[in-house]
Amino acid sequence: MNNIMEKAQPKLFTGIDGLDKITYGGFVIGSTNLLRGGPGVGKTTVGIHFLLEGIKQNEGSLFITLGEPVSNIQRNAKQLGLNVENITFLDLSPEPDFFSKVETYDIFTPAEVEREPTTRQIVETIEKVKPVRVFLDAMTQFKFLSTDNFQFRKQVLSFLHYLQENKATVLFTTESSTLAPDDDLQFMADTVINLENTENGRFISVSKFRGSDYLSGMHSYKIGQNGINVFPRIVPNKDSITLTDIVYSFGVPTIDELLGGGVEKGSIILLSGPSGVGKTTMAMQLAKSISTHQYKSAYYTFEEETNMLLKRCHNIGIDSDKSISEGFLDVQKIEPLLYSADEFSRMVVDDAINNKLSLVIIDSTSGFKLSLHGQDVVTKMHALCKKLQSFGVTLLLINEVENITGDFKITEERLSYLSDTIIFLRYLEIDGKLRKALGVLKKRLSNFEKTLREFEITSKGIVVGEPLVNLRGILLGVPEWIGDKPEKS
């Protein structure tokens, strides 16, 4: 049904790729579209993108400004790297000498006197330019050319109908406030797009869209050197996931034994353990191993610098330089306070598709949580995991738990339900010494070994020992021997 609707309603691209994804192709041709939000949210910048896309498509593009002078708009656009030279501007903002001229209207109100020349300028420009796209900033300024709300509504409706009769697609902004609310304009518009700048970041959403479906919810965006970038929230595919018989090996036989052969393609793996226990080493071991079979991996680290991570791995026998130079491994440092969750998730999904990744490693879920700025980590991680899984990408999530020993806990973030495989690493205090153990708690797609094995990280890599069968209380971190203590060789 949606496909029929989309074919029946041809659209114009907005000029912002992420916004086109949210609106499923842009604005309906001939529609009226309201862009609302407080000061500084980027309404004018969105409008410029809309008009520049028209220039790109050889369409007449008209910018009508009722508030800010054209010189200011052009200067601000230049600072954002946007070239507005080919956009036609109609400047209806107050003249610089308006303040110095003292004009009084004894018989007619100022609105009645000034409305006629303003209307004439708009009509003359429309007839001359014949624009396909019109951006008006801001429509609420028309209120000051109207004697009352009834006249304002009538004037705006007439103006919008005039533009539509001239085959223009209109984008207009409002300056909503308690003194000048825009509720009536929301009813008049075919589409309503909301921009917000909060302490948790910038967000864009669609609250109304006549004639088309759209991607609902809040989506993050940024304003930078190239204007506005919008990052639509990740939505998992509805199609069922296709399973394969491909199994990835860690390259360490005893780890593969624990896992019943390895980890399956397209599965979600949770690797959990306290700080310093070897989670990063284990994840890099998997990436290095599959690269030898020419499968591509991407490692996103929120916490450790890439050069430090690679040097540390090199010192323990996991040399990833060849994998990186041959293009089978990409290690990226992510600063969580500079990325929103939507931006990071969109980057990961795009990388997975464009680079045909087989494995994605996120180190760690705590770093990802920082980029959420208070949003729900489970919702965002669920969407990202299921989206990658639908493309057949294996996802390894590194999760750090606070307890060094003591109560056994897999994750503080309630992410275990997402995982097809859960691998946990533990510190053990045995005979007064701190040692490490490895085990598998869950594996949906195959059988696995139900014992724990002690392991060490040496200069030659990961060395895993025999199952710890003579100990009890292992999950508490302070195990006790039952039966004979094994002799050290």
Side-chain angles (χ1 to χ4, degrees), residues 192-230:
V192 177
I193 296 176
N194 309 281
L195 299 176
E196 299 178 50
N197 187 9
T198 72
E199 61 181 9
N200 293 325
R202 297 179 183 268
F203 298 96
I204 184 169
S205 62
V206 179
S207 56
K208 177 183 178 182
F209 206 146
R210 287 181 187 144
S212 174
D213 198 3
Y214 59 92
L215 184 59
S216 61
M218 306 292 287
H219 317 271
S220 63
Y221 72 96
K222 277 186 175 179
I223 301 177
Q225 274 303 308
N226 296 314
I228 286 183
N229 287 310
V230 175

mmCIF file of all heavy atoms in Angstrom, residues 192-230:
data_model
loop_
_atom_site.group_PDB
_atom_site.id
_atom_site.type_symbol
_atom_site.label_atom_id
_atom_site.label_comp_id
_atom_site.label_asym_id
_atom_site.label_seq_id
_atom_site.Cartn_x
_atom_site.Cartn_y
_atom_site.Cartn_z
ATOM 1 N N VAL A 192 4.619 18.976 8.729
ATOM 2 C CA VAL A 192 5.175 19.726 9.860
ATOM 3 C C VAL A 192 6.433 19.007 10.340
ATOM 4 O O VAL A 192 6.387 17.831 10.713
ATOM 5 C CB VAL A 192 4.168 19.848 11.022
ATOM 6 C CG1 VAL A 192 4.819 20.572 12.201
ATOM 7 C CG2 VAL A 192 2.911 20.576 10.575
ATOM 8 N N ILE A 193 7.554 19.718 10.295
ATOM 9 C CA ILE A 193 8.838 19.184 10.746
ATOM 10 C C ILE A 193 9.310 20.021 11.929
ATOM 11 O O ILE A 193 9.285 21.259 11.875
ATOM 12 C CB ILE A 193 9.883 19.216 9.617
ATOM 13 C CG1 ILE A 193 9.432 18.299 8.475
ATOM 14 C CG2 ILE A 193 11.255 18.796 10.117
ATOM 15 C CD1 ILE A 193 10.339 18.343 7.275
ATOM 16 N N ASN A 194 9.730 19.350 12.992
ATOM 17 C CA ASN A 194 10.125 20.017 14.226
ATOM 18 C C ASN A 194 11.631 19.877 14.460
ATOM 19 O O ASN A 194 12.178 18.777 14.352
ATOM 20 C CB ASN A 194 9.377 19.400 15.419
ATOM 21 C CG ASN A 194 7.883 19.327 15.178
ATOM 22 O OD1 ASN A 194 7.175 20.313 15.304
ATOM 23 N ND2 ASN A 194 7.392 18.143 14.804
ATOM 24 N N LEU A 195 12.271 20.988 14.783
ATOM 25 C CA LEU A 195 13.693 21.004 15.133
ATOM 26 C C LEU A 195 13.825 21.417 16.592
ATOM 27 O O LEU A 195 13.194 22.376 17.035
ATOM 28 C CB LEU A 195 14.463 21.986 14.254
ATOM 29 C CG LEU A 195 14.466 21.723 12.740
ATOM 30 C CD1 LEU A 195 15.195 22.849 12.021
ATOM 31 C CD2 LEU A 195 15.101 20.396 12.426
ATOM 32 N N GLU A 196 14.661 20.678 17.333
ATOM 33 C CA GLU A 196 14.861 20.972 18.752
ATOM 34 C C GLU A 196 16.342 20.961 19.080
ATOM 35 O O GLU A 196 17.086 20.126 18.574
ATOM 36 C CB GLU A 196 14.157 19.926 19.631
ATOM 37 C CG GLU A 196 12.652 19.849 19.457
ATOM 38 C CD GLU A 196 12.054 18.749 20.320
ATOM 39 O OE1 GLU A 196 12.373 18.714 21.527
ATOM 40 O OE2 GLU A 196 11.299 17.925 19.785
ATOM 41 N N ASN A 197 16.741 21.876 19.939
ATOM 42 C CA ASN A 197 18.113 21.909 20.445
ATOM 43 C C ASN A 197 18.041 21.775 21.960
ATOM 44 O O ASN A 197 17.671 22.716 22.665
ATOM 45 C CB ASN A 197 18.797 23.217 20.049
ATOM 46 C CG ASN A 197 20.267 23.228 20.407
ATOM 47 O OD1 ASN A 197 20.827 22.195 20.800
ATOM 48 N ND2 ASN A 197 20.907 24.365 20.285
ATOM 49 N N THR A 198 18.348 20.578 22.480
ATOM 50 C CA THR A 198 18.223 20.300 23.900
ATOM 51 C C THR A 198 19.591 20.051 24.508
ATOM 52 O O THR A 198 20.605 19.971 23.801
ATOM 53 C CB THR A 198 17.329 19.072 24.139
ATOM 54 O OG1 THR A 198 18.044 17.883 23.733
ATOM 55 C CG2 THR A 198 16.038 19.158 23.333
ATOM 56 N N GLU A 199 19.627 19.875 25.821
ATOM 57 C CA GLU A 199 20.894 19.587 26.493
ATOM 58 C C GLU A 199 21.431 18.210 26.115
ATOM 59 O O GLU A 199 22.620 17.927 26.288
ATOM 60 C CB GLU A 199 20.713 19.668 28.008
ATOM 61 C CG GLU A 199 19.710 18.696 28.573
ATOM 62 C CD GLU A 199 19.535 18.815 30.069
ATOM 63 O OE1 GLU A 199 20.081 19.775 30.651
ATOM 64 O OE2 GLU A 199 18.874 17.957 30.668
ATOM 65 N N ASN A 200 20.567 17.355 25.573
ATOM 66 C CA ASN A 200 20.987 16.028 25.139
ATOM 67 C C ASN A 200 21.339 15.969 23.658
ATOM 68 O O ASN A 200 21.626 14.901 23.128
ATOM 69 C CB ASN A 200 19.889 15.001 25.439
ATOM 70 C CG ASN A 200 19.687 14.801 26.921
ATOM 71 O OD1 ASN A 200 20.641 14.852 27.693
ATOM 72 N ND2 ASN A 200 18.450 14.600 27.336
ATOM 73 N N GLY A 201 21.287 17.114 22.963
ATOM 74 C CA GLY A 201 21.626 17.136 21.553
ATOM 75 C C GLY A 201 20.538 17.776 20.709
ATOM 76 O O GLY A 201 19.515 18.250 21.211
ATOM 77 N N ARG A 202 20.773 17.771 19.397
ATOM 78 C CA ARG A 202 19.805 18.323 18.440
ATOM 79 C C ARG A 202 18.972 17.185 17.864
ATOM 80 O O ARG A 202 19.513 16.144 17.491
ATOM 81 C CB ARG A 202 20.534 19.052 17.307
ATOM 82 C CG ARG A 202 21.341 20.268 17.754
ATOM 83 C CD ARG A 202 22.039 20.899 16.562
ATOM 84 N NE ARG A 202 22.871 22.019 16.930
ATOM 85 C CZ ARG A 202 22.464 23.292 16.936
ATOM 86 N NH1 ARG A 202 21.218 23.573 16.576
ATOM 87 N NH2 ARG A 202 23.291 24.257 17.279
ATOM 88 N N PHE A 203 17.656 17.417 17.746
ATOM 89 C CA PHE A 203 16.757 16.378 17.262
ATOM 90 C C PHE A 203 15.762 16.948 16.251
ATOM 91 O O PHE A 203 15.300 18.085 16.393
ATOM 92 C CB PHE A 203 16.001 15.721 18.416
ATOM 93 C CG PHE A 203 16.890 15.025 19.395
ATOM 94 C CD1 PHE A 203 17.303 15.662 20.559
ATOM 95 C CD2 PHE A 203 17.346 13.735 19.150
ATOM 96 C CE1 PHE A 203 18.141 15.029 21.462
ATOM 97 C CE2 PHE A 203 18.190 13.098 20.044
ATOM 98 C CZ PHE A 203 18.579 13.745 21.201
ATOM 99 N N ILE A 204 15.447 16.116 15.258
ATOM 100 C CA ILE A 204 14.462 16.474 14.238
ATOM 101 C C ILE A 204 13.396 15.387 14.196
ATOM 102 O O ILE A 204 13.693 14.198 14.365
ATOM 103 C CB ILE A 204 15.144 16.647 12.855
ATOM 104 C CG1 ILE A 204 14.142 17.120 11.804
ATOM 105 C CG2 ILE A 204 15.831 15.365 12.398
ATOM 106 C CD1 ILE A 204 14.822 17.555 10.496
ATOM 107 N N SER A 205 12.150 15.793 13.997
ATOM 108 C CA SER A 205 11.052 14.827 13.925
ATOM 109 C C SER A 205 9.965 15.362 13.003
ATOM 110 O O SER A 205 9.865 16.574 12.768
ATOM 111 C CB SER A 205 10.462 14.561 15.312
ATOM 112 O OG SER A 205 9.906 15.749 15.858
ATOM 113 N N VAL A 206 9.164 14.441 12.477
ATOM 114 C CA VAL A 206 8.021 14.793 11.634
ATOM 115 C C VAL A 206 6.763 14.483 12.422
ATOM 116 O O VAL A 206 6.596 13.378 12.925
ATOM 117 C CB VAL A 206 8.030 13.983 10.317
ATOM 118 C CG1 VAL A 206 6.816 14.334 9.464
ATOM 119 C CG2 VAL A 206 9.316 14.242 9.542
ATOM 120 N N SER A 207 5.878 15.464 12.556
ATOM 121 C CA SER A 207 4.631 15.243 13.294
ATOM 122 C C SER A 207 3.410 15.205 12.386
ATOM 123 O O SER A 207 2.320 14.847 12.829
ATOM 124 C CB SER A 207 4.443 16.327 14.368
ATOM 125 O OG SER A 207 4.477 17.621 13.795
ATOM 126 N N LYS A 208 3.598 15.538 11.114
ATOM 127 C CA LYS A 208 2.470 15.528 10.173
ATOM 128 C C LYS A 208 3.021 15.412 8.767
ATOM 129 O O LYS A 208 4.021 16.060 8.428
ATOM 130 C CB LYS A 208 1.662 16.822 10.331
ATOM 131 C CG LYS A 208 0.498 16.983 9.356
ATOM 132 C CD LYS A 208 -0.172 18.335 9.566
ATOM 133 C CE LYS A 208 -1.315 18.565 8.591
ATOM 134 N NZ LYS A 208 -1.938 19.903 8.773
ATOM 135 N N PHE A 209 2.381 14.583 7.927
ATOM 136 C CA PHE A 209 2.831 14.438 6.542
ATOM 137 C C PHE A 209 1.660 13.931 5.700
ATOM 138 O O PHE A 209 1.392 12.741 5.645
ATOM 139 C CB PHE A 209 4.002 13.456 6.461
ATOM 140 C CG PHE A 209 4.904 13.692 5.277
ATOM 141 C CD1 PHE A 209 6.267 13.451 5.374
ATOM 142 C CD2 PHE A 209 4.408 14.156 4.067
ATOM 143 C CE1 PHE A 209 7.111 13.659 4.295
ATOM 144 C CE2 PHE A 209 5.236 14.375 2.985
ATOM 145 C CZ PHE A 209 6.590 14.133 3.103
ATOM 146 N N ARG A 210 0.980 14.856 5.048
ATOM 147 C CA ARG A 210 -0.131 14.475 4.187
ATOM 148 C C ARG A 210 0.382 13.839 2.900
ATOM 149 O O ARG A 210 1.307 14.335 2.278
ATOM 150 C CB ARG A 210 -0.975 15.701 3.811
ATOM 151 C CG ARG A 210 -1.838 16.250 4.930
ATOM 152 C CD ARG A 210 -2.647 17.434 4.440
ATOM 153 N NE ARG A 210 -3.369 18.083 5.519
ATOM 154 C CZ ARG A 210 -3.581 19.389 5.606
ATOM 155 N NH1 ARG A 210 -3.103 20.192 4.673
ATOM 156 N NH2 ARG A 210 -4.256 19.883 6.616
ATOM 157 N N GLY A 211 -0.253 12.721 2.518
ATOM 158 C CA GLY A 211 0.056 12.124 1.219
ATOM 159 C C GLY A 211 1.253 11.210 1.208
ATOM 160 O O GLY A 211 1.665 10.754 0.140
ATOM 161 N N SER A 212 1.836 10.921 2.378
ATOM 162 C CA SER A 212 3.014 10.053 2.394
ATOM 163 C C SER A 212 3.241 9.501 3.796
ATOM 164 O O SER A 212 2.864 10.123 4.785
ATOM 165 C CB SER A 212 4.259 10.821 1.949
ATOM 166 O OG SER A 212 5.423 10.027 2.100
ATOM 167 N N ASP A 213 3.862 8.351 3.832
ATOM 168 C CA ASP A 213 4.337 7.819 5.103
ATOM 169 C C ASP A 213 5.690 8.446 5.408
ATOM 170 O O ASP A 213 6.288 9.118 4.548
ATOM 171 C CB ASP A 213 4.448 6.292 5.014
ATOM 172 C CG ASP A 213 4.512 5.635 6.389
ATOM 173 O OD1 ASP A 213 4.418 6.369 7.388
ATOM 174 O OD2 ASP A 213 4.664 4.404 6.440
ATOM 175 N N TYR A 214 6.202 8.249 6.627
ATOM 176 C CA TYR A 214 7.500 8.799 7.012
ATOM 177 C C TYR A 214 8.043 7.984 8.168
ATOM 178 O O TYR A 214 7.332 7.165 8.765
ATOM 179 C CB TYR A 214 7.372 10.272 7.406
ATOM 180 C CG TYR A 214 6.427 10.523 8.566
ATOM 181 C CD1 TYR A 214 6.885 10.551 9.884
ATOM 182 C CD2 TYR A 214 5.066 10.725 8.348
ATOM 183 C CE1 TYR A 214 6.024 10.774 10.946
ATOM 184 C CE2 TYR A 214 4.195 10.954 9.410
ATOM 185 C CZ TYR A 214 4.678 10.977 10.691
ATOM 186 O OH TYR A 214 3.822 11.185 11.750
ATOM 187 N N LEU A 215 9.325 8.194 8.474
ATOM 188 C CA LEU A 215 9.978 7.494 9.570
ATOM 189 C C LEU A 215 9.737 8.286 10.856
ATOM 190 O O LEU A 215 10.279 9.382 11.037
ATOM 191 C CB LEU A 215 11.481 7.353 9.301
ATOM 192 C CG LEU A 215 12.288 6.553 10.329
ATOM 193 C CD1 LEU A 215 11.760 5.130 10.461
ATOM 194 C CD2 LEU A 215 13.765 6.537 9.937
ATOM 195 N N SER A 216 8.929 7.752 11.731
ATOM 196 C CA SER A 216 8.542 8.472 12.938
ATOM 197 C C SER A 216 9.674 8.484 13.964
ATOM 198 O O SER A 216 10.708 7.828 13.792
ATOM 199 C CB SER A 216 7.298 7.822 13.550
ATOM 200 O OG SER A 216 7.583 6.478 13.912
ATOM 201 N N GLY A 217 9.462 9.206 15.050
ATOM 202 C CA GLY A 217 10.426 9.242 16.136
ATOM 203 C C GLY A 217 11.386 10.415 16.049
ATOM 204 O O GLY A 217 11.325 11.240 15.144
ATOM 205 N N MET A 218 12.296 10.471 17.031
ATOM 206 C CA MET A 218 13.301 11.529 17.105
ATOM 207 C C MET A 218 14.590 11.063 16.427
ATOM 208 O O MET A 218 15.044 9.943 16.639
ATOM 209 C CB MET A 218 13.590 11.872 18.570
ATOM 210 C CG MET A 218 12.361 12.229 19.384
ATOM 211 S SD MET A 218 11.615 13.784 18.889
ATOM 212 C CE MET A 218 12.818 14.943 19.540
ATOM 213 N N HIS A 219 15.157 11.944 15.613
ATOM 214 C CA HIS A 219 16.391 11.649 14.886
ATOM 215 C C HIS A 219 17.389 12.762 15.184
ATOM 216 O O HIS A 219 17.025 13.934 15.201
ATOM 217 C CB HIS A 219 16.134 11.565 13.381
ATOM 218 C CG HIS A 219 14.895 10.813 13.021
ATOM 219 N ND1 HIS A 219 14.880 9.449 12.817
ATOM 220 C CD2 HIS A 219 13.611 11.229 12.864
ATOM 221 C CE1 HIS A 219 13.645 9.065 12.526
ATOM 222 N NE2 HIS A 219 12.863 10.121 12.547
ATOM 223 N N SER A 220 18.627 12.423 15.417
ATOM 224 C CA SER A 220 19.619 13.444 15.755
ATOM 225 C C SER A 220 20.156 14.109 14.485
ATOM 226 O O SER A 220 20.115 13.544 13.395
ATOM 227 C CB SER A 220 20.759 12.838 16.564
ATOM 228 O OG SER A 220 21.448 11.870 15.814
ATOM 229 N N TYR A 221 20.647 15.327 14.658
ATOM 230 C CA TYR A 221 21.283 16.036 13.542
ATOM 231 C C TYR A 221 22.383 16.942 14.069
ATOM 232 O O TYR A 221 22.438 17.250 15.258
ATOM 233 C CB TYR A 221 20.249 16.826 12.724
ATOM 234 C CG TYR A 221 19.693 18.067 13.396
ATOM 235 C CD1 TYR A 221 20.223 19.333 13.135
ATOM 236 C CD2 TYR A 221 18.619 17.984 14.283
ATOM 237 C CE1 TYR A 221 19.700 20.470 13.734
ATOM 238 C CE2 TYR A 221 18.097 19.117 14.884
ATOM 239 C CZ TYR A 221 18.644 20.358 14.610
ATOM 240 O OH TYR A 221 18.129 21.483 15.210
ATOM 241 N N LYS A 222 23.260 17.348 13.160
ATOM 242 C CA LYS A 222 24.364 18.235 13.504
ATOM 243 C C LYS A 222 24.450 19.367 12.488
ATOM 244 O O LYS A 222 24.102 19.188 11.316
ATOM 245 C CB LYS A 222 25.694 17.471 13.507
ATOM 246 C CG LYS A 222 25.990 16.712 14.781
ATOM 247 C CD LYS A 222 27.401 16.125 14.732
ATOM 248 C CE LYS A 222 27.763 15.456 16.056
ATOM 249 N NZ LYS A 222 29.120 14.879 16.002
ATOM 250 N N ILE A 223 24.914 20.510 12.961
ATOM 251 C CA ILE A 223 25.202 21.637 12.073
ATOM 252 C C ILE A 223 26.707 21.831 12.058
ATOM 253 O O ILE A 223 27.322 22.041 13.111
ATOM 254 C CB ILE A 223 24.503 22.922 12.542
ATOM 255 C CG1 ILE A 223 22.986 22.711 12.600
ATOM 256 C CG2 ILE A 223 24.836 24.089 11.613
ATOM 257 C CD1 ILE A 223 22.224 23.907 13.128
ATOM 258 N N GLY A 224 27.312 21.727 10.877
ATOM 259 C CA GLY A 224 28.766 21.825 10.769
ATOM 260 C C GLY A 224 29.200 22.556 9.521
ATOM 261 O O GLY A 224 28.439 23.333 8.929
ATOM 262 N N GLN A 225 30.406 22.270 9.083
ATOM 263 C CA GLN A 225 31.001 22.978 7.955
ATOM 264 C C GLN A 225 30.244 22.770 6.645
ATOM 265 O O GLN A 225 30.290 23.615 5.768
ATOM 266 C CB GLN A 225 32.459 22.545 7.775
ATOM 267 C CG GLN A 225 33.436 23.315 8.632
ATOM 268 C CD GLN A 225 33.366 24.821 8.399
ATOM 269 O OE1 GLN A 225 33.447 25.280 7.269
ATOM 270 N NE2 GLN A 225 33.195 25.590 9.460
ATOM 271 N N ASN A 226 29.559 21.659 6.512
ATOM 272 C CA ASN A 226 28.820 21.398 5.275
ATOM 273 C C ASN A 226 27.315 21.595 5.459
ATOM 274 O O ASN A 226 26.514 21.045 4.715
ATOM 275 C CB ASN A 226 29.096 19.969 4.793
ATOM 276 C CG ASN A 226 30.556 19.769 4.432
ATOM 277 O OD1 ASN A 226 31.151 20.592 3.756
ATOM 278 N ND2 ASN A 226 31.142 18.681 4.904
ATOM 279 N N GLY A 227 26.948 22.391 6.464
ATOM 280 C CA GLY A 227 25.532 22.626 6.703
ATOM 281 C C GLY A 227 24.985 21.645 7.716
ATOM 282 O O GLY A 227 25.595 21.384 8.751
ATOM 283 N N ILE A 228 23.832 21.060 7.388
ATOM 284 C CA ILE A 228 23.158 20.156 8.317
ATOM 285 C C ILE A 228 23.302 18.708 7.865
ATOM 286 O O ILE A 228 23.112 18.397 6.686
ATOM 287 C CB ILE A 228 21.668 20.519 8.443
ATOM 288 C CG1 ILE A 228 21.522 21.798 9.284
ATOM 289 C CG2 ILE A 228 20.858 19.406 9.084
ATOM 290 C CD1 ILE A 228 20.106 22.221 9.556
ATOM 291 N N ASN A 229 23.650 17.839 8.799
ATOM 292 C CA ASN A 229 23.646 16.398 8.572
ATOM 293 C C ASN A 229 22.615 15.777 9.506
ATOM 294 O O ASN A 229 22.640 16.030 10.713
ATOM 295 C CB ASN A 229 25.026 15.787 8.856
ATOM 296 C CG ASN A 229 26.025 16.136 7.781
ATOM 297 O OD1 ASN A 229 25.750 15.978 6.600
ATOM 298 N ND2 ASN A 229 27.183 16.628 8.176
ATOM 299 N N VAL A 230 21.713 14.976 8.960
ATOM 300 C CA VAL A 230 20.665 14.319 9.730
ATOM 301 C C VAL A 230 20.969 12.830 9.793
ATOM 302 O O VAL A 230 21.350 12.220 8.782
ATOM 303 C CB VAL A 230 19.274 14.563 9.099
ATOM 304 C CG1 VAL A 230 18.195 13.766 9.833
ATOM 305 C CG2 VAL A 230 18.943 16.049 9.124
#
